[in-house]
Amino acid sequence: MMQFMLLFSRQGKLRLQKWYVAHPDKVKKKITRELITTILSRKPKMCSFLEWKDCKIVYKRYASLYFCCAIEQNDNELLTLEIIHRYVELLDKYFGSVCELDIIFNFEKAYFILDELLVGGEIQETSKKNVLKAIAAQDVLQEDETPQGFFEDHGLG
C-alpha cells in the first residue's frame, strides 16, 4: 500500500501531497522536508528507489516536477513507477502537456484525478479511458452548478 505521494519542483517547492497514512502535521512537514532534500541531492543517473526508514521511496522526475511515493517494504517498486507514470499520463491528457503551473492553478483537478486513480493508497482504476470519463463527468457537473450569469448578476463580472 502506498503511504503517501508528493509532487515537488526542482526548487524544492511542494506542489501536491496526498497522505494515505495518518501523521500529525509536524511529522508530515519533517518527512516532506527530509525527502525533498534527499531526492534533490541525488544525481540524475542514480536509481529511483530508496530504502527510507521502514518503507521504500519510489520517485521519478518529469520536466520540472518530481513525483515521489512511499510504499511498504513488500510492495513492488516497478508497479509504483507505473502508477506514477499513469498519473502523469492522465494529467497530460487532461491538461494537454501538463506543466507545473497547471498543478499550481488547478490543484483541485490534480487531486481529483489522483483520487480517481488511487483510493486509500491502492490502485482503483487502471483504465485511462474510465478515469478520463469520470473527470469529464465531474467537469460537466461543475459547469452545471455554476450559473452562467452569476458573476454579472452580482456585480462581479
Side-chain angles (χ1 to χ4, degrees):
M1 183 183 100
M2 194 177 293
Q3 308 274 312
F4 57 83
M5 180 185 275
L6 305 173
L7 266 70
F8 55 91
S9 69
R10 285 188 313 217
Q11 293 76 34
K13 297 259 191 256
L14 188 63
R15 298 300 183 203
L16 182 140
Q17 59 180 328
K18 185 71 176 186
W19 298 83
Y20 299 106
V21 175
H23 294 290
D25 283 345
K26 194 174 183 179
V27 173
K28 287 180 186 177
K29 285 183 176 123
K30 185 176 188 280
I31 290 170
T32 302
R33 191 172 43 247
E34 192 174 316
L35 280 176
I36 289 173
T37 304
T38 302
I39 291 169
L40 289 176
S41 67
R42 292 171 62 86
K43 306 251 184 293
K45 298 279 185 205
M46 292 177 90
C47 179
S48 293
F49 310 142
L50 298 171
E51 293 289 327
W52 185 77
K53 297 193 177 178
D54 60 340
C55 51
K56 292 187 270 191
I57 302 298
V58 178
Y59 69 93
K60 180 102 172 96
R61 180 177 160 196
Y62 289 89
S64 66
L65 285 174
Y66 284 88
F67 292 72
C68 168
C69 297
I71 57 174
E72 293 173 358
Q73 286 293 340
N74 58 350
D75 286 342
N76 187 327
E77 301 94 335
L78 295 175
L79 184 61
T80 305
L81 268 181
E82 280 296 314
I83 291 169
I84 291 170
H85 188 70
R86 178 58 45 104
Y87 183 47
V88 171
E89 286 177 325
L90 287 165
L91 290 170
D92 259 349
K93 281 262 197 248
Y94 184 78
F95 291 111
S97 190
V98 69
C99 68
E100 190 174 344
L101 288 175
D102 291 322
I103 305 292
I104 293 168
F105 292 117
N106 300 292
F107 64 89
E108 69 286 340
K109 285 294 177 201
Y111 278 111
F112 185 78
I113 293 168
L114 185 60
D115 290 342
E116 284 298 312
L117 183 65
L118 296 169
V119 170
E122 300 285 347
I123 191 87
Q124 172 181 280
E125 180 59 70
T126 56
S127 165
K128 281 189 280 191
K129 189 186 276 184
N130 288 348
V131 172
L132 291 168
K133 272 189 207 169
I135 297 161
Q138 181 64 26
D139 285 348
V140 168
L141 275 176
Q142 207 169 11
E143 286 170 18
D144 290 348
E145 287 178 7
T146 309
Q148 281 305 81
F150 175 82
F151 294 108
E152 291 81 12
D153 293 347
H154 291 86
L156 301 171

